[in-house]
Structures are given as C-alpha cells and as structure tokens.
Amino acid sequence: MVHWPSDPPVTIKRVKDMEGGDTANLSEISMGAHSGTHIDAPRHFIQQGQGVDKMPLDTMIGRARVVEVTDTKSIKPEELLQHRIRRGERILFKTRNSSHVWQTDEFVEDFVFISDEAALFLAERGVRLVGVDYLSVGSYKHGGSYVHRTLLSGGVWIIEGLNLSGVKAGKYDLICLPLKLDKGDGAPARAILKPVPAARAGESKE
Ligand SMILES: [Zn+2]
C-alpha cells in the first residue's frame, strides 16, 4: 500500500500458514507508525510532547464535522472562516484528495494540505482535533514541519490518511482509536463515522 516516501514500507507476511501444515495462521507486520489511517501524537514533532499512549480517549470519540474544502491546492483561513469553526470541535477536511489519492498505490505529491496560515488559525481557534484525507497535514513539496508543530504544540490532535470519498459534509459521531504504543509518536487507527440521528444533529455536545 502507499506510504510516505521516506517512511518504511508496509509488509504483512504469513510466517505460519495452515496451508503449509502449521496448526495456525500467523502474520508478521512491518511498517512505519504513520502508515495508512493514523494518529499523530505531539511527540511526533515535539521531543517532550505527549505520546499516543497518553491521548485522552474522548479526543477521538464524539461529535465531529466533515467540512468540504473547495480549494484544490491547500486549506486556507479565508475558506475556513465561512464554516464558523468553534473551540473544541473535531474537524475532518474532505478535499479533492478523497476522490483520487486512494485509487493508487503510488504516492501522490501534490495533495491538498493545510496551509501554514490555516494551521495557526485552527490552533488559535482551539479545535480539539483535525483530520485530513491524505498522509500529512502539511505539504510534501514545501515541508510540513511548521503545520505539524503549530497544531501539535497548540493542543490539536491529528488524524491523517482518512478516506472520505464516501462521506458527505456534515455532522457525525467519530470513533477513532489508535494502537496504544508506549510513548508513540503516532499509531495506526481505525476511524469510523456514524450518522447523527436527525433529532440530535443540532446539539453541539460531545
Ligand atoms: Zn503522521
């Protein structure tokens, strides 16, 4: 599967196989911690930052909003302003990435990313969580350190590698639980969205 060019590749190998006479099937997994859908912990870019094992679980469970971004280059504050993003929200950005990047195992270099200015906007706004639909919040070509550092030092947890191709903009209940890796800089996660019952959609609660 696709992975960040400078990260280790993903391999899953059957090391015990019932077809070969073993009593059970058993696989060996090798990959970078930032493969596929995954969480970035503060420790990814901040040496003394929290590890993924210290992530408050309620960060990744609760009401979330999928915001559709029309800009085909980057996510910018001008566009975010229209969406009235509030303190404490969980925001998942659906960009043009979702419609094509997951259809290939080749790394896509020119994916839509969060601009430096938008990262600052989101951190200052105090959102709880930001999710993006490719493998980094920051640009591949221009480097993503500033965006990562601004979000993570601002208390914003990050989900990367979401596939939102089948998801419409709107409110959902998010469940996204990463592996509890000791002092982990990140960890693979399974992320799901559940539709919010119409009667509850107006509530802004957890
Ligand atoms: Zn990451």
Side-chain angles (χ1 to χ4, degrees):
M1 61 187 278
V2 64
H3 61 92
W4 194 258
S6 55
D7 284 8
V10 177
T11 58
I12 303 174
K13 195 170 71 182
R14 267 271 163 94
V15 291
K16 286 186 187 169
D17 199 330
M18 292 171 79
E19 264 185 31
D22 290 320
T23 53
N25 294 316
L26 190 127
S27 302
E28 176 186 306
I29 303 172
S30 170
M31 62 187 197
H34 298 252
S35 303
T37 308
H38 67 275
I39 301 299
D40 278 7
R43 186 163 294 226
H44 190 27
F45 274 83
I46 301 160
Q47 182 57 21
Q48 299 305 329
Q50 280 186 316
V52 73
D53 54 321
K54 294 289 188 303
M55 184 190 79
L57 289 178
D58 65 0
T59 303
M60 295 290 168
I61 303 174
R63 185 61 45 84
R65 180 150 62 115
V66 173
V67 168
E68 186 140 13
V69 171
T70 56
D71 195 309
T72 58
K73 296 265 185 319
S74 68
I75 299 165
K76 301 186 177 74
E78 296 74 28
E79 187 167 359
L80 294 186
L81 276 171
Q82 305 162 18
H83 293 284
R84 299 176 167 276
I85 289 168
R86 295 190 307 267
R87 174 165 293 276
E89 273 201 283
R90 301 178 186 87
I91 301 289
L92 311 179
F93 292 115
K94 180 181 181 180
T95 73
R96 97 183 154 88
N97 296 340
S98 273
S99 66
H100 73 287
V101 293
W102 302 118
Q103 291 164 16
T104 171
D105 285 344
E106 298 295 312
F107 182 75
V108 174
E109 293 188 0
D110 65 342
F111 60 88
V112 183
F113 55 92
I114 299 178
S115 69
D116 290 357
E117 297 76 18
L120 199 56
F121 175 93
L122 291 162
E124 285 179 347
R125 190 60 53 114
V127 301
R128 188 187 303 213
L129 156 68
V130 161
V132 292
D133 53 0
Y134 204 48
L135 292 172
S136 178
V137 286
S139 164
Y140 176 70
K141 292 181 174 168
H142 310 297
S145 296
Y146 178 86
V147 172
H148 275 95
R149 243 183 253 120
T150 301
L151 292 172
L152 293 171
S153 66
V156 185
W157 286 76
I158 297 171
I159 310 175
E160 292 169 332
L162 292 168
N163 182 347
L164 297 171
S165 57
V167 179
K168 291 200 185 93
K171 289 181 177 172
Y172 296 87
D173 286 323
L174 169 74
I175 302 173
C176 176
L177 295 175
L179 296 180
K180 192 177 180 183
L181 301 181
D182 189 26
K183 301 183 185 69
D185 46 84
R190 184 76 190 265
I192 63 166
L193 291 171
K194 294 196 300 179
V196 178
R200 291 177 52 220
E203 301 168 17
S204 61
K205 285 283 135 218
E206 298 297 295

